Amino acid sequence: MIKTHYRTCNLCEAMCGLEIEYEHNHVISIKGDKEDQFSQGYICPKAVALQDIYEDPDRLRKPLMKTDSGWKEISWGDAFDEVASQLKSIQSKYGNDAVGIYQGNPNVHNLGAMLFGSTFARSIRTKNKFSATSADQLPHHFVSQFMLGHLLLLPVPDIDRTDYFLVFGANPLVSNGSMMSAAGMPKRLKQLKARGGKLVVIDPRKSETAQIADQHLFIQPGKDVYLLAGIVNLLLQRDPELPDYYRSLEQLSAVFSRFTPDLVHNLTGIDQNVIKKIVVDFCKADSAVCYGRMGVSTQQHGTLCQYLIYLINMLSGNFDKPGGFMVPTPAIDVVKATGPKGTIKKFNRWKSRVKGLPEFGGELPVVTMAEEILTSGDGQIKAMITNAGNPILSTPNGVQLDKAFSSLDFMVSIDIYLNETTRHADIILPPATGLEVEHYDLVFNNLAVRNIAKFSDRLFSPADGSLEDWQIFKELASRFKKQSLKDRILSFFMKPQKMLDYSLKRGPYKGLTLSKLKKLKHGIDLGPLQPSFPERLFTEDKKIDLAPTILIESLKQLETAKGISKDLLLIGRRQLRSNNSWMHNSQRLVKGGDRCTLFINEKDAKDRRIEDGSKVTVSSRVGRVDLKAKVTNEMGQGVVSVPHGWGHNRTNTKWAVAEANAGVSLNDLTDEMMIDHISGNAAFNGVPVDVMPAN
Ligand SMILES: Nc1nc2c(c(=O)[nH]1)N[C@H]1C(S)=C(S)[C@@H](COP(=O)(O)OP(=O)(O)OC[C@H]3O[C@@H](n4cnc5c(=O)[nH]c(N)nc54)[C@H](O)[C@@H]3O)O[C@H]1N2
Ligand SMILES: Nc1nc2c(c(=O)[nH]1)N[C@H]1C(S)=C(S)[C@@H](COP(=O)(O)OP(=O)(O)OC[C@H]3O[C@@H](n4cnc5c(=O)[nH]c(N)nc54)[C@H](O)[C@@H]3O)O[C@H]1N2
Ligand code: SF4
Ligand SMILES: [Mo]
């Protein structure tokens, strides 16, 4: 008999509701759930990958151990014992920091990993913790920590009510929104325009989102900081009236007055009147919000850009206001649950050994991971744990990291594929995943443009003997931390559903329990975002510091002499049918020809005698790759673009479809020396490159 299952897609941040028809353990169809309280039927082409991953013959289902004669399946018990014994022996020989951990993106899309991953990571007692955060949204956390007092107190654009949406370096039509969970982005943007609202996009490429905008401004990669500072300067000249929970306003004028429209024009090429008009329109709109994502977070001024975006929203009176920049009130308040007050201490408590980069939130910047493995001496990393991550393809200078991982004494990966990263492991522990697990979005409800809640049951039971991520973490942690009787009793009761129910009951919505949520197959809408400041602040004085010293000092030193760069600069490009590095083993998603191409402007192509469709060689300080060029004036002059997550051409991987559609890795060109100097975040955008016809 054909049955229907409702769940939330956990592949990206959008949280789309799915309606899945199935019979026994076979999926018949995956469609958008029209009754879903958040997505109302919207899905993107990636949703079907949940079926493909479930059925994928390449997906790992049993622990693997590397032997001289190849990979060998072993039992879970033997795998855990071997992992614990190897890691412990390395730690006793070289110290705790000799074991490093890298946690990848799917962790935050995984209920079990969210509940148990950090306990596991803590049990290893190492200072060498890394994650995809420092190749992504670290600047947002940094600014929230310094201005709002908690790194998870993250404002999002109230996109459904805004009248003016000013977007820097984000492409929500393709990414479906990031640090802004909003299923159904095309419809939401259409509604913005239908109610007379404006969409303005600043991007070195006329992206899919820029193409539907009222206004698109090309910008040279990395130059946003000047435009943003120029906007702040003009806002300050309007003498903003601010609520009394803001402080240090008086410090700002002296710092920002040099960012005149003329200076901004010289540094960005953007016309003075265009800049002034943006400020006038932004202030005139009933509500307005400025928002920036990967394009501005992962560049050399990432943290300053996010700081200036927060300031623009605050100085224009749009912070914590409907239609502006608001902090959601999720049913499970992860901010409260994780927050000691006055958390400014969570920065620079230790530094990386080789480059001296600061810790933030307990982690070191991932740009430094390879050198921490390759540089000998006290505190060198000798063993790695990777968990739901593919840093060989997703962090700068993948070739160097390849070399680093192959030099390790031991490596264990918790992952569902034998891919570019996990091929270096000695042991792979593959969890049940996707349709086989329960789901609740602990992280993305914290970033959603409406307050909602939904619980998804598992659709299929995991294959016989499979374990889930949380069970793997629990098993491993128990081997690292001595368990008292109390620990063991507590651990027996610590299961995802129990923990969810406990947290829901302590959340802001009275009467919302897990059993109630389980009956609401399409989720529950808890209403639009609500103003909640200054009560929500975690700062000690309950005020927002508009001028945190570290940010203001860095702005004062900001170089303004250089003008427009003559180099050809490389940026990334997300694609609707990809998801970082791991959705290329789905035939349905990769079909339709090679998408791993270099986009280049007509003039830049002509200057280099490059023809549309021809092979080109792209080289940077760290490496070179050959790929096909597409000549398009979507690209601003002097900027080229390559999508990331491809490059499945390394040896000894086991994902056949991906290998047959290999592409090249953008991160064989990006440079681990290019960083955001405040936070240590990777600067993927604006890498100087040479492009020429191949051979
Ligand atoms: N040049 C450039 N580089 C970038 C970016 C860019 O824009 N440009 N984007 C950056 C961003 S935003 C991010 S988030 C990172 C992502 O960086 P990573 O997280 O390192 O890379 P992913 O490709 O997401 O790899 C996810 C891994 O998790 C595994 N996996 C999937 N589901 C599960 C599961 O349920 N359990 C476990 N244990 N494993 C699972 C997959 O097999 C895969 O190996 O990449 C960054 N890299
Ligand atoms: N289909 C799909 N969806 C995804 C993902 C995916 O891989 N595929 N990944 C998910 C993840 S992990 C994340 S973090 C989000 C990211 O979500 P977004 O940030 O919305 O996605 P990107 O496509 O990286 O958008 C970055 C934009 O910045 C522009 N840009 C590059 N450099 C600069 C610059 O210096 N200045 C300015 N102003 N713009 C610049 C690029 O041209 C691009 O249009 O997407 C998520 N959703
Ligand atoms: S937009 Fe994201 S959440 Fe929605 S169906 Fe696509 S991958 Fe899934
Ligand atoms: Mo990301």
Side-chain angles (χ1 to χ4, degrees):
M1 197 178 63
I2 296 176
K3 292 187 187 157
T4 309
H5 168 82
Y6 296 95
R7 70 184 295 111
T8 300
C9 175
N10 69 329
L11 295 175
C12 87
E13 304 177 36
M15 300 194 285
C16 299
L18 306 179
E19 181 183 289
I20 304 180
E21 284 192 324
Y22 68 102
E23 195 166 20
H24 306 297
N25 62 350
H26 177 67
V27 173
I28 296 167
S29 69
I30 298 185
K31 296 194 185 109
D33 172 9
K34 292 198 180 68
E35 286 178 67
D36 185 273
Q37 294 296 296
F38 191 45
S39 59
Q40 288 147 10
Y42 176 82
I43 51 168
C44 86
K46 285 189 296 299
V48 297
L50 282 170
Q51 174 183 3
D52 300 348
I53 293 163
Y54 174 66
E55 293 169 358
D56 193 343
D58 287 336
R59 177 160 65 91
L60 306 178
R61 289 165 177 86
K62 299 225 165 90
L64 292 181
M65 183 159 86
K66 195 181 269 163
T67 68
D68 291 339
S69 54
W71 291 98
K72 196 177 111 199
E73 278 182 9
I74 54 172
S75 73
W76 282 101
D78 288 350
F80 289 134
D81 288 344
E82 178 68 10
V83 169
S85 123
Q86 290 280 357
L87 294 179
K88 279 183 186 170
S89 116
I90 285 168
Q91 284 189 318
S92 66
K93 203 157 148 198
Y94 303 105
N96 287 347
D97 297 337
V99 174
I101 305 182
Y102 172 83
Q103 316 224 55
N105 167 281
N107 277 295
V108 287
H109 297 271
N110 180 316
L111 174 64
M114 278 294 89
L115 292 172
F116 292 86
S118 52
T119 315
F120 161 66
R122 270 198 306 275
S123 74
I124 306 295
R125 297 165 166 276
T126 175
K127 290 201 170 82
N128 283 315
K129 278 192 265 183
F130 309 89
S131 82
T133 289
S134 52
D136 190 347
Q137 81 289 0
L138 175 55
H140 298 247
H141 298 301
F142 196 101
V143 177
S144 277
Q145 170 106 70
F146 278 83
M147 294 183 90
L148 309 179
H150 194 304
L151 60 92
L152 293 176
L153 204 55
L154 297 159
V156 303
D158 186 7
I159 185 174
D160 292 343
R161 290 185 289 180
T162 197
D163 297 302
Y164 193 106
F165 193 25
L166 177 58
V167 176
F168 281 81
N171 189 10
L173 265 196
V174 167
S175 68
N176 280 293
S178 179
M179 305 300 276
M180 165 177 65
S181 288
M185 200 48 84
K187 189 166 144 200
R188 289 179 205 266
L189 290 176
K190 224 181 252 164
Q191 284 169 344
L192 163 74
K193 296 178 82 171
R195 63 177 180 265
K198 273 218 142 78
L199 172 64
V200 177
V201 174
I202 322 291
D203 198 305
R205 168 177 166 240
K206 195 168 177 102
S207 66
E208 291 77 354
T209 307
Q211 286 173 31
I212 64 150
D214 296 280
Q215 191 178 10
H216 165 236
L217 301 176
F218 282 112
I219 194 163
Q220 200 175 44
K223 289 289 166 66
D224 305 81
V225 66
Y226 304 113
L227 177 55
L228 288 161
I231 295 176
V232 171
N233 179 32
L234 292 175
L235 287 173
L236 287 167
Q237 288 172 20
R238 299 170 78 97
D239 268 335
E241 240 182 78
L242 300 177
D244 59 9
Y245 66 89
Y246 288 150
R247 66 178 171 87
S248 316
L249 175 66
E250 70 291 347
Q251 287 184 35
L252 297 181
S253 291
V255 182
F256 283 94
S257 57
R258 71 179 171 130
F259 296 100
T260 60
D262 286 340
L263 180 82
V264 177
H265 169 73
N266 290 340
L267 293 169
T268 63
I270 296 172
D271 188 89
Q272 290 89 329
N273 289 322
V274 170
I275 304 166
K276 289 181 197 160
K277 177 137 183 359
I278 286 178
V279 175
V280 169
D281 291 349
F282 197 87
C283 292
K284 219 167 54 190
D286 286 338
S287 62
V289 63
C290 179
Y291 160 77
R293 262 315 274 134
M294 284 300 284
V296 283
S297 296
T298 53
Q299 51 143 296
Q300 285 178 305
H301 300 299
T303 302
L304 283 183
C305 285
Q306 289 303 338
Y307 165 53
L308 297 171
I309 287 170
Y310 279 46
L311 263 189
I312 289 170
N313 289 314
M314 288 170 179
L315 296 175
S316 63
N318 285 296
F319 174 70
D320 196 38
K321 185 186 129 183
F325 206 38
M326 300 189 82
V327 178
T329 317
I332 293 181
D333 191 343
V334 290
V335 181
K336 221 177 195 170
T338 52
K341 299 194 175 181
T343 41
I344 290 210
K345 292 169 216 103
K346 281 194 181 167
F347 172 59
N348 208 8
R349 289 170 296 181
W350 60 89
K351 283 181 159 55
S352 70
R353 178 179 62 107
V354 180
K355 225 185 247 119
L357 295 179
E359 159 271 350
F360 180 83
E363 293 179 8
L364 290 169
V366 75
V367 289
T368 190
M369 185 162 71
E371 66 193 2
E372 290 295 332
I373 299 170
L374 290 168
T375 312
S376 52
D378 256 9
Q380 180 183 10
I381 298 176
K382 297 280 191 182
M384 276 299 300
I385 303 166
T386 71
N387 162 25
N390 193 1
I392 298 280
L393 296 192
S394 61
T395 67
N397 200 348
V399 174
Q400 185 196 33
L401 190 61
D402 242 335
K403 198 169 133 207
F405 279 178
S406 47
S407 75
L408 290 166
D409 290 358
F410 181 75
M411 175 160 151
V412 54
S413 293
I414 304 167
D415 207 288
I416 56 176
Y417 284 109
L418 177 41
N419 63 22
E420 295 72 22
T421 293
T422 60
R423 73 199 169 111
H424 290 292
D426 296 284
I427 292 194
I428 306 178
L429 305 171
T433 189
L435 302 177
E436 302 166 330
V437 299
E438 300 163 343
H439 187 61
Y440 180 94
D441 272 290
L442 279 175
V443 170
F444 297 103
N445 279 312
N446 203 43
L447 298 167
V449 301
R450 270 189 89 85
N451 296 313
I452 46 147
K454 183 168 154 186
F455 176 78
S456 309
D457 230 321
R458 68 183 89 240
L459 169 55
F460 300 128
S461 358
D464 246 3
S466 275
L467 295 181
E468 295 176 40
D469 287 86
W470 67 274
Q471 293 169 309
I472 296 173
F473 293 134
K474 230 170 139 171
E475 272 296 330
L476 286 174
S478 74
R479 280 157 219 248
F480 280 88
K481 190 174 168 272
K482 269 220 173 70
Q483 304 268 298
S484 64
L485 184 63
K486 194 178 140 212
D487 286 339
R488 269 180 282 162
I489 295 170
L490 205 65
S491 162
F492 181 79
F493 287 105
M494 294 272 270
K495 303 222 161 85
Q497 291 208 22
K498 278 221 158 56
M499 292 162 85
L500 278 183
D501 190 47
Y502 177 91
S503 311
L504 283 168
K505 284 178 180 154
R506 270 149 199 80
Y509 301 95
K510 291 278 158 292
L512 194 60
T513 60
L514 185 61
S515 67
K516 182 168 172 197
L517 211 49
K518 279 181 160 181
K519 292 186 194 116
L520 301 167
K521 299 267 178 238
H522 312 285
I524 178 171
D525 181 23
L526 301 165
L529 304 184
Q530 297 295 336
S532 57
F533 282 79
E535 293 73 22
R536 297 282 288 284
L537 284 173
F538 275 78
T539 49
E540 257 153 75
D541 60 359
K542 281 269 174 195
K543 290 203 154 82
I544 294 178
D545 183 3
L546 296 175
T549 311
I550 184 168
L551 300 173
I552 283 294
E553 287 308 314
S554 170
L555 257 179
K556 283 184 188 160
Q557 286 156 26
L558 190 66
E559 152 84 51
T560 53
K562 271 199 197 126
I564 297 195
S565 162
K566 298 272 182 299
D567 289 326
L568 193 58
L569 300 179
L570 174 68
I571 63 169
R573 184 169 88 243
R574 276 186 161 68
Q575 302 176 312
L576 195 56
R577 285 184 291 131
S578 279
N579 192 24
N580 299 327
S581 77
W582 67 284
M583 226 131 279
H584 299 147
N585 213 45
S586 157
Q587 186 57 45
R588 291 193 265 193
L589 293 189
V590 292
K591 71 177 182 210
D594 184 8
R595 302 202 301 268
C596 186
T597 53
L598 176 100
F599 280 12
I600 183 166
N601 173 285
E602 232 171 80
K603 170 148 195 318
D604 294 322
K606 201 165 161 220
D607 289 350
R608 293 168 180 76
R609 296 170 195 278
I610 289 166
E611 280 175 23
D612 188 43
S614 67
K615 262 254 161 105
V616 293
T617 300
V618 187
S619 49
S620 69
R621 184 190 74 89
V622 308
R624 57 159 51 201
V625 300
D626 283 2
L627 75 174
K628 249 195 217 156
K630 177 176 162 178
V631 178
T632 164
N633 285 345
E634 253 175 45
M635 295 311 301
Q637 244 181 56
V639 190
V640 291
S641 154
V642 173
H644 79 284
W646 297 93
H648 309 294
N649 47 4
R650 287 159 152 95
T651 52
N652 302 324
T653 57
K654 181 177 171 280
W655 43 1
V657 180
E659 287 156 27
N661 298 272
V664 295
S665 177
L666 168 60
N667 287 321
D668 289 349
L669 294 169
T670 57
D671 191 334
E672 85 285 3
M673 301 299 276
M674 278 185 64
I675 60 171
D676 165 17
H677 288 284
I678 299 179
S679 68
N681 205 34
F684 292 120
N685 295 311
V687 178
V689 287
D690 285 321
V691 179
M692 52 186 179
N695 292 325

